[in-house]
Amino acid sequence: MSLDIVPRITCVEHPGAVRDVDRAILTLGGKDALLKTINSTGQTPIELTLSPEDRFSHPIVSRSTTSGHSIVLKVKVKKSLLAQHDGNLRRTLAAHCNSYTASPCAVVNCFVRFRELADYQYNTLNSPFVSKIRSSLYSGDLDAISHMAFPDSQPRATDFDMPPPPRFSRITVPFDYSYRQNPAVHAVTDDSGTTRLVNKSIVQRLFSKVVRWTDAAVPDESYATKNLPVAKATAANPRLLEIIDLLRTKFEERPIWTRRALEEEALDEELRRMWASHVKFALPYVAFTWKSGPWRATYTKYGIDPRKDKAYAKYQTEYFRISPRDEMEPKKPVRSVPLKDEEDLEDRKPTNVPTHIFDGIHLPAGRSFQLCDITDPVLADLVQHGGLRDELDEKDGWYKATAMSKIRRIIRLKLMALWNGQGIKQMDVAKILEEASDDEAVAAAAAAAEQSAASDEEDDRERTKQEKRGDSNEKAVLHAVSAVSQDGGQKLRELLGILQQDEGEGGLFAFAAVAVTQMLTCSGHTFVDGDEYEIFDEDDDDHEVDDDGDEG
């Protein structure tokens, strides 16, 4: 049979187990709603209401698709055969594959499906409030609507009754969890033949003990016994006990190590490659690590507190960064000495310098150094004779501030020169070394303070003399002014003579001139040609006076 003559239909997939077709159609809104959806080829959605009698039941909205086509087959099989398998068509067809006929009766070109989540449902059939609305408003009876009344009292929490909200949940589409087997989980069979699942992506726990500068005490040797699992060889780390014994021996020789120093001096080449998988899991059984302070990023033997003994000053660490603009491949050649010293350098230059050593000649691979691992002669002398302080400092440790400043600046100077392939200017190193030490800086500051105090005392004495001299001159001026009215011309000349003796004090000179002028004006004194004087302050001598007396 050709499919061209087969009718096209719309398929509505009801999410429930349909036993009553009429009831199923009622839950879909009735025949009119179905016809409207079919005529629009699924463009008009259908609302599925699981409780069609309840107007407050929240519906599920359909979604339509026209992608793909299905054929509806009409299968004919004897009822007796179907009864043998309890009405199960699939089992009947499988058991009697030659006892049935099938023919196409329709082609589905539109599917109406319900894929949204059903909202929370609230049953209102026993609600008195909703019953009043149902019997009045929904009935369409005008008399019932006019007689509808609600209680005036406020409902209590125990008998709260009202219609449900339009929707409880805002989620309409189920989340796609994409459940699948974890690709990192593998089935492993042990020696006994038991198969179990093992997640190979789980990071093995590291029991490192981290100590901060502000912690009052450091863990002692009993910490590993009390807080860490019993050390034993495992399939992942079969050499654990061997590595722990090796590390204990090395930490007896040197109580504080950086990772690079430990790799270079304590481990063989095989264990260096096994640091991430073996060695770092053995370290917590032997040592703890510092998170801050002068020994930060070092491993320290349990029970050793370098904050309490100056002997551990040489194990302090210094970390250096290169400016981002210089973070590129180092330039060549990486010479750090003048050309005249190259012949001597060839005799003492090491052929294989460890990465944790700073010798001032080769560019190191790391940027963190312990002071005891600095072999540069100038820096090593500063480390040995730089001077220690009595009280520990969080930034400089046991060393004095000027000593640590010199060490840091010289290392940075040489690192930058090695990085950029330049020769180190010994004059720059000498300038740093010539800077005053802590004691010299304190003595210089004390001398400067003493000199400043002496200068202030001398200024006070000079100021007192000037004040006394000003008082005597002021008395003479006032005495002369009082006599101006008796003998104006002669007394005025004496007054001006007194003022000229002290004309360096501009404030007193100007004050006296104003006082004389006011007194002469009040006494009606008139100047004659021989009494004309120009009185002005030397501080204002840049103001010119015109012939007519106006300022220019």
Side-chain angles (χ1 to χ4, degrees):
M1 179 184 294
S2 175
L3 294 178
D4 295 337
I5 61 174
V6 176
R8 267 55 179 172
I9 64 174
T10 298
C11 178
V12 179
E13 297 181 0
H14 198 288
V18 178
R19 293 187 177 90
D20 187 344
V21 177
D22 295 334
R23 174 73 177 177
I25 294 175
L26 182 62
T27 60
L28 297 175
K31 295 182 179 180
D32 294 338
L34 284 176
L35 289 175
K36 186 181 295 184
T37 301
I38 294 172
N39 294 332
S40 64
T41 319
Q43 297 300 319
T44 302
I46 299 177
E47 290 187 350
L48 170 64
T49 305
L50 299 178
S51 300
E53 298 84 1
D54 188 358
R55 291 177 178 267
F56 295 100
S57 178
H58 296 168
I60 305 174
V61 181
S62 67
R63 294 189 179 186
S64 302
T65 177
T66 56
S67 60
H69 297 277
S70 297
I71 300 175
V72 179
L73 294 177
K74 181 178 181 181
V75 179
K76 291 183 178 181
V77 64
K78 294 181 179 181
K79 293 183 179 180
S80 58
L81 298 178
L82 189 63
Q84 296 177 7
H85 299 279
D86 300 328
N88 190 313
L89 181 61
R90 290 181 179 274
R91 287 186 297 181
T92 302
L93 297 179
H96 308 279
C97 56
N98 296 323
S99 301
Y100 67 90
T101 59
S103 60
C105 62
V107 175
V108 180
N109 57 5
C110 178
F111 293 90
V112 179
R113 297 165 176 167
F114 298 91
R115 294 293 185 265
E116 289 188 359
L117 292 176
D119 192 24
Y120 300 101
Q121 302 296 322
Y122 184 82
N123 191 347
T124 61
L125 295 179
N126 298 324
S127 170
F129 182 87
V130 177
S131 298
K132 290 183 178 181
I133 297 178
R134 187 183 298 111
S135 62
S136 57
L137 292 178
Y138 294 163
S139 66
D141 188 353
L142 182 59
D143 293 336
I145 296 175
S146 61
H147 290 87
M148 183 180 65
F150 299 99
D152 297 332
S153 60
Q154 295 294 331
R156 294 173 296 177
T158 56
D159 58 355
F160 190 72
D161 185 23
M162 66 174 294
R167 192 168 187 87
F168 286 103
S169 176
R170 294 179 297 175
I171 300 175
T172 58
V173 180
F175 183 77
D176 184 9
Y177 289 93
S178 300
Y179 289 111
R180 59 186 178 87
Q181 178 63 41
N182 188 346
V185 175
H186 299 273
V188 178
T189 304
D190 55 17
D191 297 337
S192 63
T194 304
T195 302
R196 57 191 179 90
L197 297 178
V198 177
N199 191 342
K200 296 184 177 181
S201 66
I202 297 178
V203 179
Q204 187 176 355
R205 184 178 177 184
L206 187 63
F207 297 92
S208 297
K209 176 59 178 177
V210 180
V211 176
R212 293 174 174 80
W213 167 259
T214 55
D215 292 348
V218 299
D220 56 15
E221 296 179 353
S222 64
Y223 174 82
T225 306
K226 296 178 180 179
N227 299 277
L228 271 64
V230 178
K232 59 181 180 180
T234 61
N237 195 347
R239 299 181 59 182
L240 180 63
L241 297 178
E242 173 192 345
I243 297 173
I244 291 176
D245 293 338
L246 173 64
L247 292 176
R248 284 173 177 166
T249 302
K250 294 301 179 180
F251 275 91
E252 288 293 336
E253 300 173 0
R254 172 172 166 175
I256 303 176
W257 296 81
T258 60
R259 172 182 170 175
R260 288 185 178 274
L262 199 60
E263 286 182 324
E264 293 287 345
E265 297 189 14
L267 306 179
D268 55 27
E269 185 177 355
E270 182 181 3
L271 286 180
R272 292 175 197 169
R273 295 194 299 266
M274 300 167 62
W275 176 275
S277 59
H278 293 70
V279 179
K280 73 175 184 179
F281 295 100
L283 273 170
Y285 291 91
V286 181
F288 64 91
T289 183
W290 289 93
K291 187 175 183 179
S292 58
W295 295 273
R296 60 191 177 277
T298 62
Y299 294 96
T300 305
K301 179 184 175 184
Y302 283 122
I304 299 295
D305 192 347
R307 300 173 297 182
K308 298 181 178 180
D309 195 343
K310 297 181 181 180
Y312 301 108
K314 62 181 180 180
Y315 299 114
Q316 294 177 198
T317 58
E318 290 297 327
Y319 179 78
F320 300 90
R321 293 181 179 178
I322 295 179
S323 176
R325 60 184 175 83
D326 297 321
E327 287 187 355
M328 56 186 72
E329 290 297 327
K331 301 177 182 179
K332 297 182 179 180
V334 287
R335 288 290 189 185
S336 61
V337 295
L339 295 177
K340 63 180 181 180
D341 295 335
E342 287 189 1
E343 295 181 359
D344 298 336
L345 175 64
E346 295 297 333
D347 298 333
R348 59 185 179 90
K349 181 167 50 176
T351 57
N352 186 16
V353 180
T355 58
H356 68 288
I357 297 294
F358 182 75
D359 59 0
I361 300 174
H362 300 83
L363 180 65
R367 295 290 179 268
S368 179
F369 310 100
Q370 284 184 277
L371 299 183
C372 61
D373 293 329
I374 297 176
T375 60
D376 179 87
V378 175
L379 294 169
D381 183 71
L382 283 174
V383 171
Q384 185 175 1
H385 304 99
L388 302 178
R389 61 174 76 218
D390 296 330
E391 295 184 1
L392 189 64
D393 181 74
E394 180 180 1
K395 180 181 178 182
D396 301 322
W398 287 111
Y399 282 89
K400 294 182 177 180
T402 52
M404 286 308 305
S405 176
K406 292 178 182 180
I407 292 173
R408 292 174 181 136
R409 292 168 61 188
I410 292 176
I411 292 179
R412 187 175 297 279
L413 177 68
K414 293 192 174 184
L415 277 176
M416 293 302 299
L418 293 172
W419 186 266
N420 295 314
Q422 300 172 351
I424 297 175
K425 297 180 180 180
Q426 301 301 331
M427 183 64 66
D428 295 339
V429 178
K431 288 181 180 179
I432 297 176
L433 293 174
E434 290 173 359
E435 293 181 356
S437 63
D438 286 358
D439 297 335
E440 294 172 346
V442 172
E450 184 178 355
Q451 183 179 0
S452 177
S455 177
D456 293 342
E457 185 177 355
E458 180 65 26
D459 293 341
D460 291 340
R461 288 198 296 267
E462 183 64 26
R463 191 178 300 108
T464 302
K465 291 180 181 179
Q466 293 179 359
E467 291 176 354
K468 291 181 179 179
R469 185 167 60 250
D471 292 342
S472 61
N473 290 341
E474 184 177 353
K475 292 179 181 178
V477 169
L478 294 176
H479 177 72
V481 169
S482 63
V484 168
S485 59
Q486 300 177 2
D487 187 4
Q490 181 61 29
K491 294 298 183 179
L492 183 58
R493 290 187 179 88
E494 293 178 2
L495 174 61
L496 293 176
I498 294 173
L499 297 177
Q500 290 173 354
Q501 292 177 3
D502 198 28
E503 61 183 359
E505 300 179 8
L508 178 59
F509 190 76
F511 163 75
V514 173
V516 171
T517 304
Q518 291 178 349
M519 184 162 287
L520 292 177
T521 303
C522 295
S523 61
H525 179 76
T526 303
F527 287 101
V528 294
D529 294 341
D531 293 332
E532 292 182 358
Y533 294 93
E534 292 183 359
I535 301 176
F536 61 92
D537 193 342
E538 287 186 353
D539 294 338
D540 299 327
D541 57 0
D542 56 338
H543 295 281
E544 298 180 359
V545 180
D546 298 335
D547 294 338
D548 56 0
D550 298 329
E551 281 194 8

